[in-house]
């Protein structure tokens, strides 16, 4: 064999090995639920060796990760300030320059749905995340450079303690997950498994989910539906219809034209008044046939029921099932929500429909909140612009809080 042929073979297998490594690279961050707000955060270790740990709220809309540090005096482990009008700065929606025109700053007009402006210096540092086999946290992995913003304390005061910032999960290239996958050429997708309690999972570029009893031989089944206008900064899916125990709701179908937006900061699904009224009326009638009567409402909920009259099953209270009809392969498919996701126990004797009336003129006609997303696997794949939606993991006697037992 000639030296040239040998060199080509070595080069080929080196490239093949690199591609295989990248396609099999999987990363995992734990998710913690903040019980009082029904919001979720992860802990990010910044700096070489994880010098600083920050609890960051998961947000599907913020375009750049925000950390509560003094914008004029960032920590020593921050490697550099991003230069104004550089390619890195220009890639961030909301980029601007400081007053001297030297350094990049990030501006955001509102934060987490609140009319709170954010401005912060754009900086870079090392971030440490963990590799995974799809279930366990394995060895640490360093991402450098990681670009984020020192947002300062004032705009982040609304965050619940012990949270000190926001982890960007938006579809833009400056989001946390996009930075990780673009920097190393990994599979451009991430997945969320929000826990109803305990510790959940934030996956990056993962192909195998090891949440017992699921594994590579018994994968979590996903309903695939297209993402609408993914690069506008939101995660939207088409909604064809809404059902209660199989019966479609009756309202003007044009009200669903804008689709449904997914949110990790809105605690309960918010609906336009006309949609909410149709849902509540149908749910109440179906519940009545099951012997579940209405009781005095408890704010912020409008429709509440006698929790003692509802039986229990593996998915929580035995109440009517709510389905959202979304486009799938070959036609409409149903994304189903059972008792644990459709009602919430407000007291020992009162449970309420876990949906909110958003009024007649909300900014978004339908926003799916965290209570509905809990214990479902969500997979967002940028390479196909598809979202994978699992049914409730509770139906399989498991949950997002379940981790493989380590030997």
């Amino acid at each position: 064999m000639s030296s040239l042929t040998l060199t080509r073979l070595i080069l080929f297998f080196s490239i093949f090995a690199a591609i295989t490594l990248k396609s099999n690279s999987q990363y995992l961050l734990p998710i913690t639920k903040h019980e009082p707000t029904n919001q979720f955060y992860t802990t990010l270790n910044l700096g070489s060796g994880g010098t600083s740990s920050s609890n960051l709220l998961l947000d599907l809309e913020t375009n750049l990760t925000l950390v509560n540090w003094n914008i004029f005096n960032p920590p020593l482990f921050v490697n550099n300030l991003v230069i104004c009008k550089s390619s890195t700065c220009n890639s961030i929606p909301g980029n601007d320059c400081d007053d001297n025109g030297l350094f990049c700053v990030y501006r955001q007009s509102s934060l987490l749905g609140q009319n709170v402006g954010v401005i912060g210096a754009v900086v870079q540092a090392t971030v440490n995340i963990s590799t995974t086999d799809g279930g366990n946290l394995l060895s640490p992995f360093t991402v450098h450079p990681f670009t984020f913003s020192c947002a300062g304390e004032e705009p982040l005061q609304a965050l619940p303690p012990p949270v000190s910032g926001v982890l960007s999960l938006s579809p833009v290239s400056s989001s946390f997950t996009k930075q990780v996958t673009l920097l190393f050429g990994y599979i451009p997708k991430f997945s969320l498994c929000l826990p109803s309690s305990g510790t959940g999972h934030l996956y990056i570029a993962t192909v195998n989910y090891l949440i017992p009893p699921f594994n590579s031989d018994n994968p979590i089944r996903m309903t695939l539906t297209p993402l609408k206008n993914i690069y506008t900064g939101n995660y939207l899916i088409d909604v064809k219809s809404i059902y209660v125990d199989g019966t479609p709701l009756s309202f003007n179908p044009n009200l669903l034209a804008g689709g449904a937006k997914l949110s990790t900061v809105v605690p309960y699904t918010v609906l336009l008044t006309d949609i909410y009224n149709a849902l509540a009326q149908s749910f109440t009638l179906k519940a009545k046939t099951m012997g579940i009567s209405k009781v005095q409402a408890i704010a912020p909920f409008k429709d509440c029921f006698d929790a003692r009259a509802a039986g229990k099953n593996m998915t929580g209270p035995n109440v009517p099932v709510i389905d959202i009809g979304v486009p799938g392969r070959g036609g409409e498919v149903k994304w189903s929500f059972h008792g644990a996701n459709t009602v919430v126990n407000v007291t020992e004797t009162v449970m309420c429909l876990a949906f909110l009336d958003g009024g007649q003129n909300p900014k978004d006609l339908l926003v799916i909140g965290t209570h509905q997303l809990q214990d479902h696997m969500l997979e967002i794949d940028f390479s196909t612009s598809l979202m994978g939606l699992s049914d409730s993991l509770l139906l399989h006697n498991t949950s997002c809080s379940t981790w493989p037992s380590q030997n």
Side-chain angles (χ1 to χ4, degrees):
M1 181 181 296
S2 69
S3 59
L4 179 59
T5 302
L6 180 60
T7 301
R8 286 175 175 171
L9 282 173
I10 293 173
L11 178 62
F12 170 79
F13 285 113
S14 297
I15 294 173
F16 178 78
I19 292 173
T20 302
L21 175 64
K22 290 185 177 183
S23 66
N24 289 333
S25 297
Q26 304 181 103
Y27 303 96
L28 175 60
L29 288 167
I31 297 175
T32 302
K33 180 181 179 182
H34 183 254
E35 293 285 353
T37 62
N38 261 23
Q39 295 179 338
F40 298 83
Y41 65 89
T42 190
T43 302
L44 207 61
N45 296 313
L46 294 158
S48 299
T51 307
S52 175
S53 294
S54 294
N55 293 328
L56 305 179
L57 201 71
L58 306 182
D59 184 26
L60 298 175
E61 294 187 59
T62 298
N63 291 325
L64 188 66
T65 294
L66 309 172
V67 181
N68 179 5
W69 286 325
N70 189 319
I71 61 176
F72 303 107
N73 186 28
L76 293 176
F77 62 77
V78 168
N79 300 110
N80 65 282
L81 297 168
V82 174
I83 301 300
C84 173
K85 297 183 179 179
S86 63
S87 58
T88 298
C89 185
N90 291 338
S91 69
I92 303 169
N95 74 84
D96 200 350
C97 296
D98 68 353
D99 292 340
N100 297 318
L102 297 176
F103 299 109
C104 185
V105 296
Y106 173 68
R107 297 181 187 273
Q108 186 168 305
S109 58
S110 63
L111 180 65
L112 309 179
Q114 304 296 317
N115 190 26
V116 177
V118 177
I119 180 171
V122 179
V123 300
Q124 292 181 323
T126 295
V127 64
N128 300 278
I129 58 179
S130 178
T131 60
T132 183
D133 55 4
N136 294 301
L137 296 164
L138 299 178
S139 57
F141 178 79
T142 298
V143 178
H144 180 80
F146 169 56
T147 305
F148 60 100
S149 174
C150 295
E153 181 178 358
E154 185 175 350
L156 301 180
Q157 286 180 343
L159 297 176
V163 177
S164 60
V166 178
L167 189 75
S168 167
L169 299 177
S170 82
V172 302
S173 61
S174 55
S175 69
F176 172 72
T177 49
K178 273 293 193 71
Q179 284 193 55
V180 173
T181 56
L182 289 172
L183 188 62
F184 299 100
Y186 299 146
I187 299 171
K189 70 175 181 178
F190 73 93
S191 307
L192 291 172
C193 204
L194 301 182
S196 52
S197 63
T199 303
H201 304 70
L202 166 57
Y203 297 100
I204 301 174
T206 302
V207 293
N208 296 315
Y209 304 115
L210 305 185
I211 298 178
F214 300 106
N215 53 44
S216 57
D217 296 321
N218 177 36
I220 297 174
R221 294 186 62 182
M222 298 274 192
T223 294
L224 299 179
T225 191
L227 288 160
K228 290 167 57 77
N229 307 320
I230 189 170
Y231 294 106
T232 60
N234 291 313
Y235 295 102
L236 296 168
I237 56 174
D238 268 321
V239 176
K240 299 300 183 183
S241 49
I242 302 174
Y243 305 83
V244 176
D245 262 1
T247 302
L249 301 185
S250 178
F251 54 82
N252 185 344
N254 291 332
L255 297 179
L256 297 176
K261 182 173 78 172
L262 274 73
S263 174
T264 51
V265 298
V266 172
Y268 302 99
T269 292
V270 182
L271 307 168
L272 175 79
T273 293
D274 290 351
I275 303 176
Y276 176 85
N277 287 342
L279 175 68
Q281 182 180 26
S282 180
F283 189 91
T284 299
L285 289 173
K286 297 283 186 178
K288 186 176 181 180
T289 65
M290 301 171 69
I292 304 171
S293 58
K294 288 192 72 172
V295 298
Q296 183 69 36
I298 300 176
F301 307 103
K302 292 181 65 175
D303 293 271
C304 298
F305 305 85
D306 184 352
R308 295 167 296 185
K312 298 287 184 180
N313 55 37
M314 63 196 311
T315 60
N318 185 23
V319 296
V321 176
I322 296 175
D323 298 306
I324 296 178
V326 298
R329 292 175 179 170
E332 182 183 287
V333 294
K334 291 180 179 180
W335 186 17
S336 299
F337 299 97
H338 299 264
N341 299 106
T342 58
V343 296
V344 57
N345 289 318
V346 181
T347 70
E348 290 185 2
T349 60
V350 177
M351 63 183 181
C352 297
L353 183 62
F355 294 76
L356 299 181
D357 181 351
Q360 291 287 3
N361 297 292
K363 178 183 176 183
D364 301 290
L365 303 185
L366 174 53
V367 180
I368 300 177
T370 57
H371 189 80
Q372 279 64 49
L373 299 180
Q374 288 175 166
D375 292 319
H376 289 75
M377 177 70 78
L378 260 64
E379 181 182 86
I380 295 172
D381 191 334
F382 296 106
S383 67
T384 60
S385 292
L386 292 174
M387 179 179 290
L389 310 167
S390 80
D391 57 12
S392 173
L393 299 188
L394 301 179
L395 290 169
H396 306 277
N397 199 30
T398 189
S399 72
C400 289
S401 308
T402 305
W403 291 67
S405 58
Q406 299 186 19
N407 296 326

